[in-house]
Amino acid sequence: MSESNWKEICHIDAIVPNAGRCALVEGEQVAIFRIQKSGNDELYAINNHDPFSKANVLSRGIIGSLSDRVVVASPIYKQHFCLATGECLEDEATQLKTYRVRVENNMVQLSA
Ligand code: FES
């Protein structure tokens, strides 16, 4: 994918550590998560739309870990989604779109 497909979203400090934030990217709501592990930031981005409640709420979900996976729990019905793969842990047929995300010069950038 070429460099030009990266879209600048916000400053890294605009996302509270260990929380999510919603961004609108090309008409799609994306939930971006900033996870801090031993002082380093890990960023994840998944679709913000919760297929179970049909609401755009996943950026406000509770972040946790299950086994080795970093997950977000939907604030509505509490299903867990793996932030790395978008997989729903309670329903393997349900898979959310994931996006590539990176930090360049303290700016969060996203690519579909
Ligand atoms: S690493 Fe997330 S489901 Fe396997």
Side-chain angles (χ1 to χ4, degrees):
M1 193 166 292
S2 76
E3 284 297 299
S4 58
N5 287 330
W6 289 97
K7 295 221 175 337
E8 210 148 86
I9 304 298
C10 62
H11 195 277
I12 182 71
D13 290 343
I15 310 179
V16 176
N18 301 312
R21 185 191 164 124
C22 172
L24 193 63
V25 182
E26 290 176 356
E28 281 182 352
Q29 282 204 24
V30 180
I32 304 172
F33 298 91
R34 176 184 182 187
I35 310 297
Q36 266 185 346
K37 273 191 188 162
S38 351
N40 293 321
D41 284 316
E42 278 178 15
L43 284 130
Y44 298 94
I46 61 174
N47 202 295
N48 193 33
H49 186 257
D50 173 13
F52 297 98
S53 65
K54 313 224 181 300
N56 290 316
V57 292
L58 293 180
S59 67
R60 303 204 308 265
I62 306 289
I63 297 165
S65 50
L66 286 178
S67 313
D68 280 346
R69 305 186 261 223
V70 186
V71 298
V72 62
S74 163
I76 313 277
Y77 297 129
K78 315 297 182 204
Q79 283 90 355
H80 297 88
F81 298 92
C82 174
L83 293 187
T85 64
E87 212 173 288
C88 175
L89 301 191
E90 286 82 14
D91 175 6
E92 59 184 26
T94 300
Q95 169 85 46
L96 300 182
K97 182 172 175 183
T98 59
Y99 303 79
R100 298 194 303 157
V101 58
R102 70 180 185 185
V103 179
E104 288 277 306
N105 301 322
N106 291 319
M107 296 299 289
V108 177
Q109 298 181 341
L110 205 78
S111 168

